[in-house]
Amino acid sequence: MGALKRWKKLGGGTFFKWTTPNQSLEGIWLGQHDGKYGPMGSLEQTDGTKVVFPLHTALLNRVEDLTERTEVKLVYIGPQENPKTGRINRFF
């Protein structure tokens, strides 16, 4: 038998879902990764809790240039209708 491999656990932490306007998350940006259904973001709150949340397109465009360990505050504005197309978009 060979040496035992040590596997690194990915993910973890608390999953956060954007549902109501004016929800916010504050903490240290840990980066983004691919999730089962799309891109996910991670941050560490001031109490040390790791939070994982979906990166909707509007949010993904804003965080893609952030460097890790940057202090951030994310506020969900809520869904709004585009007057030209009639589509409902999520805004941050």
Side-chain angles (χ1 to χ4, degrees):
M1 215 168 220
L4 295 176
K5 290 184 180 180
R6 300 231 182 244
W7 295 98
K8 179 180 178 184
K9 183 177 180 182
L10 297 176
T14 304
F15 183 79
F16 182 84
K17 186 174 180 180
W18 303 104
T19 56
T20 57
N22 297 320
Q23 281 181 309
S24 65
L25 288 174
E26 276 185 73
I28 305 296
W29 177 249
L30 299 176
Q32 68 185 54
H33 61 278
D34 290 329
K36 185 175 181 179
Y37 299 107
M40 304 293 284
S42 302
L43 64 85
E44 183 179 327
Q45 295 180 314
T46 53
D47 64 358
T49 306
K50 182 178 175 186
V51 180
V52 179
F53 51 92
L55 289 175
H56 300 288
T57 304
L59 183 54
L60 179 63
N61 291 338
R62 294 174 186 244
V63 300
E64 63 187 359
D65 294 331
L66 283 177
T67 57
E68 289 187 20
R69 309 303 302 171
T70 301
E71 192 170 345
V72 297
K73 179 177 182 178
L74 306 173
V75 179
Y76 177 57
I77 296 172
Q80 297 181 358
E81 184 177 335
N82 182 325
K84 293 182 180 178
T85 64
R87 291 183 182 174
I88 302 290
N89 297 317
R90 295 173 185 248
F91 287 96
F92 292 87

